[in-house]
Coordinates of all heavy atoms in Angstrom, one line a residue:
T1086 N 0.9 -1.2 0.0 CA 0.0 0.0 0.0 C 0.9 1.3 0.0 O 1.8 1.3 0.8 CB -0.9 0.0 1.3 OG1 -1.7 -1.1 1.2 CG2 -1.8 1.2 1.2
I1087 N 0.6 2.1 -1.0 CA 1.5 3.3 -1.1 C 0.7 4.6 -0.9 O -0.4 4.7 -1.4 CB 2.1 3.4 -2.6 CG1 2.9 2.1 -2.9 CG2 3.0 4.5 -2.8 CD1 3.3 1.9 -4.3
E1088 N 1.2 5.4 -0.1 CA 0.6 6.7 0.2 C 1.1 7.8 -0.7 O 2.4 7.9 -0.8 CB 0.8 7.1 1.7 CG 0.1 8.4 2.1 CD 0.3 8.7 3.5 OE1 0.1 7.8 4.4 OE2 0.6 9.9 3.8
D1089 N 0.3 8.5 -1.4 CA 0.7 9.5 -2.2 C 1.4 10.7 -1.5 O 0.8 11.3 -0.5 CB -0.5 10.1 -3.0 CG -0.1 11.0 -4.2 OD1 1.1 11.2 -4.4 OD2 -1.0 11.5 -4.9
T1090 N 2.6 11.2 -1.9 CA 3.2 12.3 -1.3 C 3.3 13.5 -2.2 O 3.9 14.5 -1.8 CB 4.7 11.8 -0.9 OG1 5.4 11.5 -2.1 CG2 4.7 10.8 0.1
S1091 N 2.7 13.5 -3.3 CA 2.7 14.6 -4.2 C 1.7 15.7 -3.7 O 1.9 16.8 -4.0 CB 2.3 14.2 -5.7 OG 1.0 13.6 -5.7
A1092 N 0.7 15.3 -2.9 CA -0.2 16.2 -2.4 C -0.9 15.6 -1.1 O -0.8 14.4 -1.0 CB -1.4 16.6 -3.4
V1093 N -1.3 16.4 -0.2 CA -1.9 15.9 1.0 C -3.2 16.7 1.2 O -3.5 17.7 0.6 CB -1.0 16.1 2.3 CG1 0.2 15.2 2.1 CG2 -0.6 17.5 2.5
E1094 N -4.0 16.2 2.2 CA -5.3 16.9 2.5 C -5.3 17.1 4.0 O -4.6 16.4 4.8 CB -6.5 16.0 2.1 CG -6.6 16.0 0.6 CD -8.0 15.3 0.1 OE1 -8.6 14.7 1.1 OE2 -8.2 15.3 -1.0
V1095 N -6.1 18.1 4.4 CA -6.3 18.4 5.8 C -7.8 18.3 6.1 O -8.6 18.8 5.4 CB -5.8 19.8 6.2 CG1 -6.1 20.1 7.7 CG2 -4.3 20.0 5.8
R1096 N -8.1 17.4 7.1 CA -9.5 17.2 7.5 C -9.8 18.2 8.7 O -9.1 18.3 9.7 CB -9.7 15.8 8.0 CG -11.2 15.5 8.3 CD -11.4 14.0 8.6 NE -10.6 13.7 9.8 CZ -9.8 12.6 9.8 NH1 -9.6 11.9 8.8 NH2 -9.2 12.3 10.9
S1097 N -10.9 19.0 8.5 CA -11.2 20.0 9.5 C -12.7 20.1 9.7 O -13.5 19.4 8.9 CB -10.7 21.3 9.1 OG -10.9 22.3 10.1
N1098 N -13.2 20.8 10.6 CA -14.6 21.0 10.8 C -14.9 22.5 11.0 O -14.2 23.3 11.7 CB -15.1 20.3 12.1 CG -15.0 18.8 12.0 OD1 -13.9 18.2 11.9 ND2 -16.1 18.1 11.9
L1099 N -16.0 23.0 10.3 CA -16.4 24.3 10.4 C -17.8 24.4 11.1 O -18.7 23.6 10.9 CB -16.6 24.9 9.0 CG -15.3 25.0 8.1 CD1 -15.7 25.4 6.7 CD2 -14.4 26.1 8.7
R1100 N -17.8 25.5 12.0 CA -19.2 25.7 12.6 C -20.1 26.4 11.5 O -19.7 27.0 10.6 CB -18.9 26.7 13.8 CG -18.2 26.1 14.9 CD -18.1 27.0 16.1 NE -17.3 28.1 15.8 CZ -17.6 29.4 15.7 NH1 -18.9 29.7 15.8 NH2 -16.7 30.3 15.5
M1101 N -21.3 26.3 11.8 CA -22.3 26.8 10.8 C -22.2 28.3 10.7 O -22.4 28.8 9.5 CB -23.8 26.5 11.2 CG -24.1 25.0 11.1 SD -24.0 24.4 9.4 CE -25.2 25.5 8.5
E1102 N -21.8 29.0 11.7 CA -21.6 30.4 11.6 C -20.4 30.7 10.7 O -20.5 31.6 9.8 CB -21.3 31.1 13.0 CG -22.5 31.1 13.9 CD -22.6 29.8 14.6 OE1 -21.8 28.8 14.4 OE2 -23.5 29.6 15.5
E1103 N -19.4 29.9 10.7 CA -18.2 30.1 9.8 C -18.6 29.8 8.4 O -18.2 30.4 7.5 CB -17.1 29.3 10.4 CG -16.5 29.7 11.8 CD -15.7 28.7 12.4 OE1 -15.6 27.5 12.0 OE2 -14.9 29.1 13.3
L1104 N -19.4 28.7 8.3 CA -19.8 28.3 6.9 C -20.7 29.3 6.3 O -20.6 29.6 5.1 CB -20.5 26.9 7.0 CG -20.9 26.3 5.7 CD1 -19.7 26.0 4.8 CD2 -21.7 25.0 5.9
Y1105 N -21.5 30.0 7.1 CA -22.4 31.1 6.6 C -21.5 32.2 6.1 O -21.8 32.8 5.1 CB -23.3 31.5 7.7 CG -24.2 32.7 7.3 CD1 -25.2 32.5 6.5 CD2 -23.9 34.0 7.8 CE1 -26.0 33.5 6.1 CE2 -24.7 35.0 7.4 CZ -25.8 34.8 6.5 OH -26.5 35.9 6.2
Q1106 N -20.4 32.5 6.8 CA -19.6 33.6 6.3 C -18.9 33.2 5.0 O -18.7 34.1 4.2 CB -18.5 33.9 7.4 CG -19.0 34.4 8.7 CD -18.0 34.5 9.8 OE1 -16.8 34.4 9.5 NE2 -18.4 34.7 11.0
L1107 N -18.6 31.9 4.8 CA -18.0 31.5 3.5 C -19.0 31.7 2.4 O -18.7 32.2 1.3 CB -17.6 30.1 3.6 CG -16.4 29.8 4.5 CD1 -16.1 28.3 4.5 CD2 -15.2 30.6 4.2
W1108 N -20.3 31.4 2.7 CA -21.3 31.5 1.7 C -21.5 33.0 1.4 O -21.7 33.3 0.2 CB -22.6 30.9 2.3 CG -22.7 29.5 2.3 CD1 -21.9 28.6 1.5 CD2 -23.5 28.6 3.0 NE1 -22.2 27.3 1.9 CE2 -23.2 27.3 2.8 CE3 -24.5 28.9 4.0 CZ2 -23.8 26.2 3.4 CZ3 -25.2 27.8 4.6 CH2 -24.8 26.5 4.3
Q1109 N -21.5 33.8 2.4 CA -21.7 35.2 2.2 C -20.5 35.8 1.3 O -20.7 36.6 0.4 CB -21.7 36.0 3.5 CG -23.0 35.8 4.3 CD -24.2 36.4 3.6 OE1 -24.9 35.6 2.8 NE2 -24.5 37.6 3.7
H1110 N -19.3 35.4 1.6 CA -18.2 35.8 0.9 C -18.3 35.4 -0.6 O -18.0 36.2 -1.5 CB -16.9 35.2 1.5 CG -15.6 35.6 0.8 ND1 -15.1 35.0 -0.3 CD2 -14.8 36.6 1.1 CE1 -14.0 35.5 -0.7 NE2 -13.8 36.6 0.2
A1111 N -18.7 34.1 -0.8 CA -18.8 33.6 -2.2 C -19.9 34.4 -2.9 O -19.8 34.7 -4.1 CB -19.1 32.1 -2.2
A1112 N -21.0 34.7 -2.3 CA -22.1 35.4 -2.9 C -21.7 36.8 -3.3 O -22.0 37.3 -4.4 CB -23.4 35.5 -2.0
Q1113 N -21.0 37.5 -2.4 CA -20.6 38.9 -2.7 C -19.5 38.9 -3.8 O -19.4 39.8 -4.7 CB -20.1 39.6 -1.4 CG -21.2 39.8 -0.5 CD -20.7 40.6 0.7 OE1 -19.6 41.3 0.6 NE2 -21.4 40.7 1.8
S1114 N -18.6 37.8 -3.8 CA -17.6 37.7 -4.8 C -18.3 37.5 -6.2 O -17.8 38.0 -7.2 CB -16.6 36.6 -4.5 OG -16.0 36.8 -3.3
A1115 N -19.3 36.6 -6.2 CA -20.0 36.4 -7.5 C -20.7 37.7 -8.0 O -20.7 37.9 -9.2 CB -21.0 35.3 -7.3
K1116 N -21.2 38.5 -7.1 CA -21.9 39.7 -7.5 C -20.8 40.7 -8.1 O -21.1 41.4 -9.0 CB -22.5 40.4 -6.3 CG -23.8 39.7 -5.9 CD -24.4 40.4 -4.7 CE -25.7 39.6 -4.2 NZ -26.3 40.3 -3.0

């Protein structure tokens, strides 16, 4: 079994308030 070292990922958790801020940021960026 070989683990890829060309890239890695980070597992994290966001609160709903933080996720809402991301949505707001994306919406304003789209506008």
Side-chain angles (χ1 to χ4, degrees):
T1086 301
I1087 303 173
E1088 180 179 316
D1089 190 0
T1090 57
S1091 61
V1093 294
E1094 292 186 352
V1095 180
R1096 185 176 62 232
S1097 184
N1098 292 71
L1099 293 173
R1100 294 183 291 110
M1101 285 303 297
E1102 293 84 357
E1103 297 166 339
L1104 186 60
Y1105 176 75
Q1106 293 173 16
L1107 295 179
W1108 286 340
Q1109 290 292 97
H1110 181 275
Q1113 294 188 15
S1114 298
K1116 289 181 181 178

